[in-house]
Amino acid sequence: MISTEVVLVGVDGCKAGWIAVRCAPGAVPSVEVFASFAALLAANPDNAVVAIDMPIGLPEVSAKGGRGPEALVRPLLGPLQSSVFSIPSRSALYADTNDFTTLEAWYAAHIRASEVARTTSDPPRGVSIQAFGIFSKIREIDALLIARPDLRGRVFESHPEVAFCRLNDDQPMQLPKKIKGSINPAGMAERKALLCRHGYDMAFLDQVPPRGAAADDFLDAAAMMLIAGRIANGKARPFPNPPLVDGFGIQVAIWA
């Protein structure tokens, strides 16, 4: 059992939407997949603390290395720092919001986003395929935080590898979770052992994740829940400290 005084929720994006690892006071963790982030929030109490592996707070102009938090946390991660994507401007994120029915349309939208990103970054740069792949999820969170300012004090950005590093006495993981797109069992085992040192049962972490979520999504959400606990008890640190804010007053920081 993981000690908690409020409901803690760790979230990661997944193929089916969002995977959430949740722990209520006096209970053991549970895992569930939600089709939308709004549905996930509705399933938890208003005072739940949520840590999510997704960029929050978008710049009007993107500087070298991303928004700011990315450049600060990369040096912590050693050989795993490529897991931290640079996030472009808000206008690049919203350059094309269509639902793509063909691969050709998806690649065309990536080109359009990159064109906008180059005009709103200094020095000019486009958008990586990896970053573009999560644009729709970034927009989903962004739209909710713009429409509902009450969420800004309880939904916090984190990053799995930064979380694992902080949980591991500020030492980065030695092995990647994936190699060439496939799960790396040794890297997963390394992280599971660390999570167990922070209160998880191995049987919980070894379970097959819910349909629509991959094994690494599940593990990342489990790490995010521990960061939610660190935020709730005042032990988490924001990068940068104090956090920046974007044009809508949304906090810009990676917490861990």
Side-chain angles (χ1 to χ4, degrees), residues 76 166 170 230-231 234-241 253-256:
L76 305 176
R166 296 283 285 152
D170 293 319
R230 286 170 62 89
I231 293 167
K235 291 183 179 179
R237 173 184 170 191
F239 297 83
N241 188 9
I254 293 174
W255 289 78

Side-chain angles (χ1 to χ4, degrees), residues 12-21 31 33 177-178 181-183 188 192 205 207-222:
D12 191 23
C14 63
K15 186 176 180 180
W18 303 93
I19 181 171
V21 173
V31 59
V33 165
K177 288 194 300 288
K178 300 176 88 170
S182 297
I183 290 293
M188 295 287 280
K192 286 181 181 180
L205 299 175
Q207 70 181 290
V208 176
R211 186 175 181 179
D216 57 324
D217 301 331
F218 175 33
L219 216 58
D220 289 349

Side-chain angles (χ1 to χ4, degrees), residues 173-188:
M173 296 287 95
Q174 296 299 301
L175 303 168
K177 288 194 300 288
K178 300 176 88 170
I179 297 176
K180 295 182 179 179
S182 297
I183 290 293
N184 176 26
M188 295 287 280

Side-chain angles (χ1 to χ4, degrees), residues 88-230:
S89 66
R90 178 173 267 112
S91 57
L93 263 292
Y94 284 89
D96 192 322
T97 58
N98 294 314
D99 291 327
F100 310 116
T101 55
T102 67
L103 193 58
E104 290 78 8
W106 193 88
Y107 280 116
H110 172 246
I111 291 170
R112 285 193 292 275
S114 284
E115 289 171 348
V116 174
R118 277 189 283 271
T119 67
T120 54
S121 58
D122 184 18
R125 68 177 186 284
V127 176
S128 71
I129 284 288
Q130 294 95 332
F132 183 71
I134 61 171
F135 271 21
S136 63
K137 282 185 161 52
I138 298 173
R139 290 194 299 267
E140 185 179 351
I141 302 293
D142 188 53
L144 272 171
L145 292 177
I146 290 171
R148 294 185 54 189
D150 61 292
L151 295 176
R152 299 176 191 176
R154 61 188 188 90
V155 177
F156 298 86
E157 174 185 350
S158 187
H159 184 282
E161 290 309 318
V162 181
F164 287 122
C165 175
R166 296 283 285 152
L167 294 167
N168 194 39
D169 297 323
D170 293 319
Q171 296 299 311
M173 296 287 95
Q174 296 299 301
L175 303 168
K177 288 194 300 288
K178 300 176 88 170
I179 297 176
K180 295 182 179 179
S182 297
I183 290 293
N184 176 26
M188 295 287 280
E190 181 188 26
R191 286 161 181 78
K192 286 181 181 180
L194 175 62
L195 293 176
C196 286
R197 294 203 299 270
H198 286 270
Y200 279 104
D201 286 334
M202 188 62 79
F204 175 78
L205 299 175
D206 279 342
Q207 70 181 290
V208 176
R211 186 175 181 179
D216 57 324
D217 301 331
F218 175 33
L219 216 58
D220 289 349
M224 293 295 93
M225 196 205 77
L226 292 177
I227 298 304
R230 286 170 62 89

Side-chain angles (χ1 to χ4, degrees), residues 22-91:
R22 175 183 185 271
C23 192
V28 295
S30 61
V31 59
E32 188 173 354
V33 165
F34 296 87
S36 72
F37 192 66
L40 184 156
L41 291 173
N44 287 286
D46 288 344
N47 67 342
V49 177
V50 181
I52 183 168
D53 173 24
M54 199 58 59
I56 291 175
L58 304 174
E60 301 310 312
V61 176
S62 182
K64 183 178 181 180
R67 299 166 300 160
E70 296 98 334
L72 287 174
V73 300
R74 284 192 189 104
L76 305 176
L77 302 183
L80 301 177
Q81 59 185 276
S82 62
S83 65
V84 181
F85 304 149
S86 290
I87 302 304
S89 66
R90 178 173 267 112
S91 57

